[in-house]
Amino acid sequence: MKRTVCAKSIFELWGHGKSPEELYNSLKNYPVEKMVPFLHSDSTYKIKIHTFNKTLTQEEKVKRIDALAFLPFEGKVNLKKPQHIFSILEDYGLDPNCIPENPHNIYFGRWIADGQRELIESYSVKKRHFIGNTSMDAGLSFIMANHGKVKENDIVFDPFVGTGGLLIASAHFGAYVYGTDIDYNTVHGLGKASRKNQKWRGPDENIRANLRQYGLEKYYLDVLVSDASKPSWRKGTYFDAIITDPPYGIRESTRRTGSQKEIPKGMEKCPESHVPVSLSYHLSDMFFDLLNFAAETLVLGGRLVYWLPVYTPEYTEEMVPWHPCLKLISNCEQKLSSHTSRRLITMEKVKKFENRDQYSHLLSDHFLPYQGHNSFREKYFSGVTKRIAKEEKSSQE
Amino acid sequence: MKLLTHNLLSLHVRGVGPRGFPLRLQAAEVRINPVEFNPDFVARMIPKVEWAALLEAVDTLHLVEVPKGPIERYEHDEKFLRQMHHVLLEVDVLEGTLQCPESGCLFPISCGIPNMLLSDEETKT
């Protein structure tokens, strides 16, 4: 429970039912020997009521607590600092516009622990000093850190670090963090602000300052301006986790450096970006580079966690990039729009990297269906969506 | 840029290979940044350190009291760990350059951030 942002609390269930009578019967059937250690006369306790999707008056709450008088409570009530907390949980469904008179389910249990949901509020992007257009939501960044099994004294790396949101979650769990990004301005904290009403970034807006805001500056190792397709790390395995959200080519462009010969005539150097030549970086190449890089630099057992943008009508599981050294642990979908979603992919390094491994994907069947991925950007903006919407409308008429 | 980072950086340009390490460090401005001492983390880093490269960097920066290599049972030697902690994590190069020993390419460090992007002349296909 010290890690999860998905669970609010955990209780030891003593009884449940679809009505108060069913609940009381269920409680009477719960073995007394299991109750007694928490109810004896030397202990203090408190009973709370949680209702989901309904508000009760104080009178209604007291009535429900009094109805439990048949339980063998022998301890003293202490509302401020009880040793044991018991809870009645009433479930009134999920529709706020249709609240039933009686609950669908009632539960009674002993509170054991709370999860870390308050981290979502305390690390909220709304209050963060330095944000970008695509800064990761706090809850998701903690989920990603958990997928990466980040622990104290790990080294975590984000090759598309942006404003450092993912590093913050890892640092919270005690990991030391590295980040790189091809965009000079973002890494240095310069340029236009992403906040409404703010034109330019202030001096306290950079990745290091973000960590400092949460008292995590000691976990900041370094950030570098670097092209993820041409990593600058020496041969070896030193990352315990690579946790990242690569650009999808929609709100941040996908770029890499290259030589003059590779670009079509007419494209000019972009003076602000400090990137000599910006080439389009095909999404499929980017993910294979990422997997190769992870296979080379992760310690054995280390994890790669990243988002894969997907055009939902054409998605199949075979599209998920594959590598002989990395085992797929999980693949979770988050819908972005009616026809696009992104998938949180978690992989674990299970085999030592050898030189021939970097080209295995060219021989695999997975490579061909994945090529379609390069046009994710086009599909996202295309008239295809309008056609689909039109078809849906006409089929409803 | 910390010296731990310098120790991990290398170039992978085609034709340079493993001789792209270590990058020759030149520092115009260095700052000592106190960082909370964490013996467990420092001990974890010791096996990853390339000592020749570290000593070369240390020499360039004229640092003193730097161990010449890992000592026996370093995990329990607080003095050794504190010295390594200082060298690897507290010395911060704010302005300077990194130079590839093979090709001679220069990478600037500004505000403590190295810029590892290769210019078009330097990228070979």
Side-chain angles (χ1 to χ4, degrees), chain A residues 50-69:
Chain A
H50 299 274
T51 51
F52 299 92
N53 201 25
K54 187 166 187 157
T55 333
L56 296 179
T57 63
Q58 193 58 19
E59 210 188 295
E60 287 171 315
K61 288 188 188 177
V62 170
K63 226 171 87 181
R64 282 156 169 76
I65 296 178
D66 287 343
L68 293 174

Side-chain angles (χ1 to χ4, degrees), chain A residues 153-155 176 178 184 187-188 208 218 220-223 225 227 231-234 240 260 262 275-276, chain B residues 1-2 5 7-10 12 33 36 38 40-41 44-45 48 50 110 113-114 116 118-120:
Chain A
N153 301 327
D154 272 358
I155 295 192
Y176 289 77
Y178 270 118
Y184 182 96
V187 176
H188 280 259
R208 191 179 201 142
K218 68 180 182 192
Y220 174 90
L221 286 175
D222 267 308
V223 293
V225 181
D227 177 347
S232 350
W233 307 94
R234 66 166 153 89
D240 297 286
Q260 279 289 14
E262 289 178 276
V275 170
Chain B
M1 183 199 66
K2 298 181 160 71
T5 311
N7 204 261
L8 299 174
L9 291 178
S10 159
H12 288 301
N33 248 340
E36 198 180 302
N38 179 347
D40 295 326
F41 179 70
R44 260 197 106 213
M45 292 303 108
K48 302 189 209 253
E50 275 282 335
S110 73
I113 299 174
M116 308 303 295
L118 294 158
S119 74
D120 36 343

Side-chain angles (χ1 to χ4, degrees), chain A residues 105-132:
Chain A
N105 290 292
I106 318 178
Y107 305 89
F108 180 85
R110 181 177 66 88
W111 175 84
I112 300 176
D114 280 335
Q116 302 298 310
R117 280 193 80 76
E118 79 271 4
L119 291 178
I120 298 177
E121 188 53 41
S122 47
Y123 281 89
S124 165
V125 174
K126 288 186 258 188
K127 303 187 222 164
R128 201 167 301 159
H129 288 159
F130 179 46
I131 58 169

